[in-house]
Amino acid sequence: MNKQSYQLVIVGGGPAGLAAAQEAYDQGVRDILIIERDFELGGILQQCIHNGFGLHFFGEELTGPEYAQRFMEMVAEREVEIKLNTMVLEVSSDKKVYAVNSKEGMLEIKAEAIVLAMGCRERTREAIGIPGSRPAGVFSAGTAQRYINMEGYMPGRKVVILGSGDIGLIMARRMHLEGAEVEAVLELLPFSGGLTRNIVQCLDDFDIPLRLSQTVTKIHGKERVEGVTVSKVDKNLKPIPESEYHIECDTLLLSVGLIPENELSMEAGIELSSVTGGPIVNECRETSIEGIFACGNVLHVHDLVDYVTEESKLAGKAAALYLQGGIKKAKKEVSIVAGDNIGYIVPHKVTEKIEGRKRVELYMRGKRPMKNARIVVMDGDEELFSKKERYVKPAEMISIPLPEKMIEQLASNRVEVKIEEGGAE
Amino acid sequence: MGDKVRITCVSCPMGCDLEVEVLDKEIKKIEGNRCPRGIEYAKAEYFNPTRILPTTAKVKGGVLPLVPVKTAKPIPKGLLEKAMVEIAQVELEAPIKLGDIVIKNILDTGIDVVATRDLAKK
């Protein structure tokens, strides 16, 4: 087998991998390899041709490809080695990366540190178990996006979209503008999982109906989709049989959630969170295996790529510090716990002592939409501090800084964050 | 009494539902906004709603058959579909550079359509 070695190996050349590489380089690491399975860098951003990226990080509004290209150029200016068209098959717990490409064959790459940046994948029809026949014309929204925006294929002419997260909404507009009839966007929950801005500019602008508390309960058609049965659902999200109606269509797009892509992490024996589907990490985004870090959507699914960049720079910096011996264990380990009304928090714990650090940023998601909420940070049973939020939406990540001084002075070794509704009034 | 128009403000994620009362093409009253940005948004959105149009254009001889493009500035919302038809007529030749002008002054808006990535030759 073709044996190679690098100080830092980054699995994935999307926004997370690129930002981690750039930051690790800027912190002094020179021997970096990015492995990417596609023919080019940039990841899923290359198919996200719509605008709205970069407002936080660059202070201007960019499209996905524009955002990606900035990072591709930053990495190209540095001595980062890149292997394209290369598929990682396995990452071992002793930090060997097995990969394959058609030029070099099978590769065994020894790494001193690894950053996992494989992104996420889409939930499929199988994941939500829609009954009916199995005709052509059922796509995940992201696959349809790649076909339309990069490969020049039109998936269908008369479309129903299931799922009103941002991808579903953006694909409704995209398919409408490309000449398809978008019959409806259906949402199982009583509220949309997408940004208000996208509901207005993707649906309202083109009179595409959004139907809440409804789902597809059957797919019809033999060779090709001919229609779907739609049912309203009750409070427990169970379909109400007498509410059934039919929509004629040739295509069903599924936008029913994203899952961190952790096949490689699992094989490596990395401890995963059952809530996020990503690795359990400390504030350096270091996994349960020392020297293996994770960032971006492989860790938890982000709402904005800007936050992916922020987090990946953190992981890249931590990987550099690790390689340079700059990370020391803290005297005590603090666990970060998701309390009432919080879906999850990343990181899961604070374990390191890093010189010059000012704060640890906690990222979390609310469980349901709330107004005038108070986000409360607890030190054991004592309230440490709280922050008002005018609105909380599960679609939008909340971040709260935990200042270094507070971490040092914690009375307990457990920080819990919870949300109280109406607490801000 | 004038006509009532409903507009959702998207200046921030709050998404206030605004009710705009219009009489003789003049805004008489705006209700439902929780901050002054709502007023400005409602005026712009009522009199001249504009959007950036991101889409794709055909490419000959590139590593991909399409290149993503966008209007460099927002264009009137009513022109989005016409602009799509015009952009569909174009066929570019690779290589393409980010920022290359694909259509100058689309539909006499004074706004160019530009490429949003580099696209190499095959």
Side-chain angles (χ1 to χ4, degrees), chain A residues 38-339:
Chain A
D38 209 340
F39 78 97
E40 62 178 356
L41 296 172
I44 297 303
L45 281 179
Q46 297 287 20
Q47 71 184 50
C48 300
I49 62 166
H50 52 280
N51 50 306
F53 300 94
L55 278 167
H56 288 262
F57 192 75
F58 290 113
E60 55 184 305
E61 199 175 0
L62 304 172
T63 66
E66 288 172 321
Y67 192 100
Q69 195 164 324
R70 291 205 180 181
F71 277 92
M72 286 156 70
E73 282 164 9
M74 280 192 244
V75 167
E77 284 162 13
R78 294 165 173 81
E79 306 148 33
V80 173
E81 209 179 307
I82 294 158
K83 289 187 196 295
L84 297 172
N85 298 306
T86 305
M87 184 79 187
V88 173
L89 305 172
E90 192 186 332
V91 175
S92 71
S93 56
D94 60 349
K95 296 196 278 274
K96 285 195 187 102
V97 177
Y98 296 91
V100 64
N101 66 41
S102 58
K103 275 195 198 131
E104 299 167 289
M106 267 292 275
L107 298 166
E108 183 189 279
I109 303 163
K110 216 170 151 297
E112 287 167 49
I114 295 173
V115 175
L116 302 172
M118 295 88 77
C120 58
R121 58 191 149 98
E122 298 182 276
R123 290 174 78 210
T124 59
R125 172 178 179 179
E126 287 66 32
I128 54 170
I130 306 175
S133 50
R134 314 186 61 77
V138 182
F139 299 87
S140 67
T143 302
Q145 189 176 50
R146 186 170 173 112
Y147 283 162
I148 299 176
N149 293 348
M150 292 179 77
E151 301 187 4
Y153 302 117
M154 189 65 180
R157 290 285 155 202
K158 207 167 175 174
V159 191
V160 169
I161 298 175
L162 177 59
S164 68
D166 290 314
I167 312 168
L169 299 175
I170 278 162
M171 285 312 292
R173 171 176 64 186
R174 188 69 189 124
M175 293 213 63
H176 170 87
L177 285 173
E178 286 292 342
E181 282 171 61
V182 183
E183 298 296 310
V185 174
L186 308 172
E187 171 60 55
L188 178 72
L189 298 172
F191 53 87
S192 163
L195 302 171
T196 310
R197 170 199 158 96
N198 283 334
I199 294 173
V200 171
Q201 297 191 355
C202 297
L203 300 188
D204 299 354
D205 270 6
F206 307 105
D207 297 319
I208 299 168
L210 170 64
R211 298 187 188 149
L212 301 172
S213 297
Q214 299 192 12
T215 191
V216 171
T217 42
K218 197 165 180 184
I219 296 173
H220 305 272
K222 201 171 167 208
E223 297 296 322
R224 177 79 196 189
V225 173
E226 285 164 14
V228 294
T229 299
V230 180
S231 300
K232 293 182 181 148
V233 299
D234 63 19
K235 268 190 297 194
N236 304 313
L237 309 181
K238 290 266 175 289
I240 306 166
E242 57 271 28
S243 70
E244 274 183 4
Y245 67 97
H246 185 83
I247 305 181
E248 206 181 287
C249 61
D250 62 19
T251 304
L252 174 66
L253 293 194
L254 298 174
S255 171
V256 292
L258 301 169
I259 314 163
E261 174 65 276
N262 274 298
E263 293 300 318
L264 292 173
S265 321
M266 242 184 287
E267 284 236 17
I270 288 168
E271 210 183 318
L272 299 182
S273 151
S274 59
V275 183
T276 58
I280 289 177
V281 293
N282 66 16
E283 78 281 17
C284 292
R285 304 304 186 267
E286 189 177 30
T287 67
S288 59
I289 300 181
E290 206 183 281
I292 301 187
F293 300 80
C295 57
N297 282 358
V298 81
L299 180 55
H300 59 122
V301 176
H302 297 62
D303 51 345
L304 301 177
V305 71
D306 305 62
Y307 294 139
V308 167
T309 298
E310 219 171 80
E311 176 174 274
S312 305
K313 285 171 82 87
L314 193 81
K317 186 176 176 183
L321 281 174
Y322 169 80
L323 291 168
Q324 296 153 354
I327 292 184
K328 291 186 186 72
K329 287 273 166 244
K331 273 190 213 113
K332 66 177 177 187
E333 186 175 311
V334 179
S335 51
I336 310 288
V337 181

Side-chain angles (χ1 to χ4, degrees), chain A residues 389-408:
Chain A
E389 287 280 354
R390 287 181 69 185
Y391 60 90
V392 169
K393 276 189 178 178
E396 285 160 34
M397 240 161 54
I398 306 164
S399 73
I400 292 200
L402 199 57
E404 193 66 30
K405 262 198 186 145
M406 265 185 205
I407 299 173
E408 274 166 28

